[in-house]
Amino acid sequence: MYIKQFFEPKSCTYSYLLMCEESKEALIIDPVQCDLDKYINEIKSINAHLKYICETHIHADHITASYLLKTLTQAKSIVHKNTEAKCAEIFITDGDQFYLGEISIHALATPGHTNACTSYYVKGYVFTGDTLLINGCGRTDFQEGCAEQLYESVYNKLFTLPDDTIVYPAHDYKGKLSSNIGYEKKNNSRLALHIKKDQFIQIMNHLDLRYPSQIDQALPANKLCGKTP
Ligand SMILES: [Fe+2]
């Protein structure tokens, strides 16, 4: 399987283009509107047929490129059924599967950062969105976030994957590209196995984070798949 990671520096977002090398069917995870040209150039250069646009959640820190990609390709957008993005074509829930050629992609509902967060598992890789970051996790103080739910998503879903599963998150703010489940179980400063649920909830309830600067533009746009005036 072909995987290309893209980095958008303003929101420190990672997006991922995946392609089945036999069928040339491809999907993109969490594309960012301002990087549209990069994705289109890459899709053309590898001769891919973009089939799906997968959102791990409705983002508050950037506008998705989903709407523009849909106007330029045949791709259908995929979101969890609990989102308010009624513009999507496919609404998924935990355990759903879809395919690029023979390669299956499994949707894992991992709520907590938002109530509709989904991770995508593909052959030894998991794309965790903001549920599990490298040595961290997404905040839980807006978009129906819930620290207890996030802890349970990580422990009951992500940490049950094999330790060598590569973790590809939606963000990293320190330049790290990927991690793996075994490393995060041992070393994640919020979620490592020695940290109990109560401690985690305490940590999350005292983060004292700033109101996200893009949220008032990003959320309404992303509920329309990133359609902007
Ligand atoms: Fe997020």
Side-chain angles (χ1 to χ4, degrees):
M1 185 177 59
Y2 161 100
I3 300 177
K4 166 115 181 162
Q5 184 180 46
F6 297 88
F7 182 66
E8 191 288 301
K10 206 169 146 213
S11 58
C12 291
T13 298
Y14 286 128
S15 309
Y16 302 90
L17 181 64
L18 278 56
M19 182 183 72
C20 161
E21 287 170 294
E22 280 84 57
S23 66
K24 295 280 181 187
E25 289 182 342
L27 63 78
I28 192 161
I29 298 173
D30 291 337
V32 182
Q33 191 187 57
C34 61
D35 277 353
L36 177 74
D37 292 348
K38 280 195 210 168
Y39 311 136
I40 293 294
N41 290 341
E42 186 65 19
I43 288 164
K44 281 188 185 150
S45 81
I46 59 171
N47 204 18
H49 162 60
L50 191 69
K51 193 174 176 191
Y52 301 117
I53 302 157
C54 303
E55 302 286 1
T56 56
H57 62 296
I58 301 303
H59 304 278
D61 57 354
H62 65 266
I63 296 176
T64 172
S66 179
Y67 174 79
L68 294 175
L69 281 167
K70 287 198 278 186
T71 65
L72 296 171
T73 70
Q74 307 291 308
K76 295 185 174 11
S77 61
I78 298 182
V79 296
H80 189 275
K81 69 174 175 51
N82 288 354
T83 65
E84 293 173 64
K86 303 304 173 212
C87 53
E89 284 75 31
I90 300 172
F91 296 91
I92 50 167
T93 187
D94 189 50
D96 284 355
Q97 279 186 59
F98 46 99
Y99 289 85
L100 299 177
E102 304 277 294
I103 298 171
S104 62
I105 296 100
H106 300 252
L108 306 172
T110 49
H113 168 61
T114 75
N115 66 339
C117 284
T118 301
S119 299
Y120 297 96
Y121 178 80
V122 191
K123 279 176 85 173
Y125 300 91
V126 66
F127 299 85
T128 54
D130 290 5
T131 302
L132 180 63
L133 303 177
I134 300 167
N135 194 24
C137 65
R139 61 197 289 177
T140 55
D141 56 338
F142 56 77
Q143 287 180 277
E144 288 80 43
C146 171
E148 183 172 4
Q149 228 179 11
L150 191 146
Y151 185 93
E152 282 167 7
S153 291
V154 169
Y155 273 69
N156 299 335
K157 297 270 175 63
L158 300 177
F159 281 0
T160 64
L161 296 170
D163 280 357
D164 60 355
T165 306
I166 303 292
V167 172
Y168 275 132
H171 301 284
D172 192 78
Y173 304 94
K174 293 184 177 164
K176 293 213 166 101
L177 303 176
S178 68
S179 180
N180 68 47
I181 292 292
Y183 181 89
E184 295 306 321
K185 277 179 172 173
K186 271 203 202 98
N187 300 300
N188 191 295
S189 59
R190 294 182 190 166
L191 286 156
L193 292 183
H194 64 274
I195 300 172
K196 299 282 168 269
K197 193 199 284 185
D198 290 354
Q199 285 173 273
F200 174 73
I201 294 169
Q202 280 291 322
I203 295 169
M204 296 310 288
N205 288 346
H206 293 90
L207 289 180
D208 225 5
L209 297 167
R210 273 183 301 158
Y211 188 73
S213 59
Q214 299 292 314
I215 191 169
D216 293 327
Q217 295 78 42
L219 279 187
N222 289 335
K223 287 176 186 172
L224 301 172
C225 291
K227 187 175 181 192
T228 44

